[in-house]
């Protein structure tokens, strides 16, 4: 929640009633304390997970990477300065810093991990930063997660809508450019990966290099690097991984 409050180690608790949603926020002193709180609170949370064809022994992991790039034609009179708020369904989770209209440039990235199964949309709402008056919504766009191509970066311009925002202007309030990357991964039981682990740790690391050729996107390569390090560390062969990759990089630069 650092992006929403501009401070680290914050947790968000969402309480859903029959006709209302309430958010409460906790701020820990350290990252370790925040992780401990999250670990203790999660088992007490109820998740209204819809029916899924995925077997119970299989875990579904969803993550969303949102990059708010810029906007055009934001009404300067209504919003001399504007910022964006990202929401999952109807719950606000992060925000950009204010920038000058009518063509603000934000270029801010947000990584949302462990997106619950009940989350079906994300929205970006452009707000006017008021010096004295309350910040007001100018327009918004809602994107259905199912419309995004999994594991593929998508960049597009979205026309802002004033419907439901209470915005004073009903005409054109501009558009916002968003780059998204949505992952929806299925994780099998641990024993299903024994064969893959044996292939990965073989001398020469041919399988590792083959995976690296496929995962060329920055987010994919970072995820792959972390997963490989954990696998090799669990088998006591992390030195083999680091030595081989360093030698490969030196050879490529030479």
């Amino acid at each position: 929640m650092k992006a929403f409050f501009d401070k680290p180690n914050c947790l968000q608790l969402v309480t859903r009633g029959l006709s209302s949603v309430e958010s409460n926020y906790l701020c820990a002193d350290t990252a370790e304390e925040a992780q401990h709180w999250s670990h203790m609170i999660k088992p007490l949370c109820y998740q209204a997970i819809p029916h899924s064809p995925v077997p119970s022994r299989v875990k579904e992991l969803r993550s969303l990477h949102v990059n708010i790039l810029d906007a055009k034609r934001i009404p300067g009179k209504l919003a001399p300065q504007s910022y964006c708020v990202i929401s999952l369904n109807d719950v606000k989770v992060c925000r950009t810093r204010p920038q000058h209209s009518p063509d603000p440039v934000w270029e801010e990235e947000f990584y949302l991990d462990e997106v619950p199964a009940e989350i079906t949309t994300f929205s970006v709402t452009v707000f006017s930063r008021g010096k004295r008056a309350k910040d007001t919504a100018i327009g918004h766009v809602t994107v259905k997660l199912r419309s995004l191509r999994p594991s593929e970066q998508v960049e597009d311009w979205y026309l802002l809508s004033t419907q439901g925002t209470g915005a004073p202007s009903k005409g054109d309030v501009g558009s916002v450019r968003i780059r998204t990357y949505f992952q929806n991964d299925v994780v099998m039981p641990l024993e299903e990966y024994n064969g893959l682990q044996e292939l990965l740790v073989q001398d020469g690391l041919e399988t590792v290099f083959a995976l690296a050729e496929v995962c060329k996107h920055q987010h994919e390569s970072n995820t792959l690097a972390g997963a490989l390090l954990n696998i090799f560390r669990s088998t006591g062969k992390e030195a083999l991984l680091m030595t081989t990759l360093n030698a490969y990089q030196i050879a490529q630069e030479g």
Side-chain angles (χ1 to χ4, degrees):
M1 297 300 299
K2 178 179 180 180
F4 193 70
F5 290 102
D6 202 23
K7 62 170 61 176
N9 311 321
C10 293
L11 302 177
Q12 181 184 44
L13 300 179
V14 180
T15 304
R16 296 183 180 275
L18 293 177
S19 59
S20 63
V21 177
E22 180 179 342
S23 295
N24 295 279
Y25 303 92
L26 305 174
C27 186
D29 292 329
T30 64
E32 291 74 16
E33 187 177 43
Q35 187 69 25
H36 175 68
W37 288 1
S38 177
H39 178 73
M40 298 299 292
I41 292 173
K42 275 186 178 181
L44 304 177
C45 295
Y46 168 75
Q47 293 186 348
I49 301 177
H51 175 71
S52 173
V54 179
S56 58
R57 295 181 68 241
V58 175
K59 187 175 182 181
E60 194 172 9
L61 296 179
R62 308 197 311 164
S63 62
L64 180 65
H65 172 204
V66 181
N67 190 337
I68 306 296
L69 297 170
D70 52 8
K72 291 182 178 179
R73 306 186 315 280
I74 302 298
K77 291 184 178 180
L78 293 177
Q81 285 192 321
S82 53
Y83 64 91
C84 295
V85 172
I86 300 176
S87 302
L88 295 179
N89 283 359
D90 51 359
V91 178
K92 299 174 182 178
V93 293
C94 46
R95 59 183 289 179
T96 67
R97 294 178 175 83
Q99 300 293 345
H100 291 286
S101 301
D103 301 320
V105 177
W106 294 291
E107 294 187 350
E108 295 190 39
E109 296 180 276
F110 305 95
Y111 293 89
L112 307 173
D113 296 323
E114 298 184 24
V115 176
E118 66 266 26
I119 301 299
T120 58
T121 65
F122 81 90
S123 61
V124 176
T125 304
V126 178
F127 280 84
S128 169
R129 177 67 177 271
K131 293 183 178 180
R132 298 180 180 178
K134 181 181 178 181
D135 294 1
T136 56
I138 299 300
H140 72 96
V141 58
T142 298
V143 179
K144 295 181 179 180
L145 294 184
R146 67 184 181 186
S147 70
L148 301 176
R149 296 183 290 273
S151 302
E152 185 173 335
Q153 182 174 279
V154 178
E155 181 180 316
D156 207 350
W157 282 96
Y158 298 88
L159 190 66
L160 293 171
S161 169
T162 59
Q163 184 176 2
T165 63
S169 175
K170 301 300 181 182
D172 180 17
V173 292
S175 57
V176 61
R177 186 161 61 111
I178 307 170
R179 182 184 300 141
T180 57
Y181 184 83
F182 178 58
Q183 279 188 290
N184 190 3
D185 298 326
V186 175
V187 181
M188 304 291 289
L190 186 60
E191 60 270 16
E192 298 291 338
Y193 295 95
N194 290 337
L196 176 60
Q197 178 175 289
E198 293 176 2
L199 285 174
L200 289 171
V201 300
Q202 286 179 352
D203 293 342
L205 306 186
E206 288 86 356
T207 307
V208 172
F209 291 127
L211 288 173
E213 285 297 317
V214 175
C215 301
K216 292 186 177 181
H217 186 274
Q218 182 178 358
H219 188 60
E220 290 178 334
S221 61
N222 290 341
T223 302
L224 175 64
L228 289 174
L229 185 58
N230 288 334
I231 292 172
F232 277 78
R233 185 176 291 156
S234 68
T235 59
K237 294 187 176 182
E238 63 268 31
L240 170 64
L241 176 66
M242 301 306 296
T243 301
T244 305
L245 292 182
N246 286 338
Y248 175 79
Q249 185 174 3
I250 293 173
Q252 291 293 104
E253 293 176 353

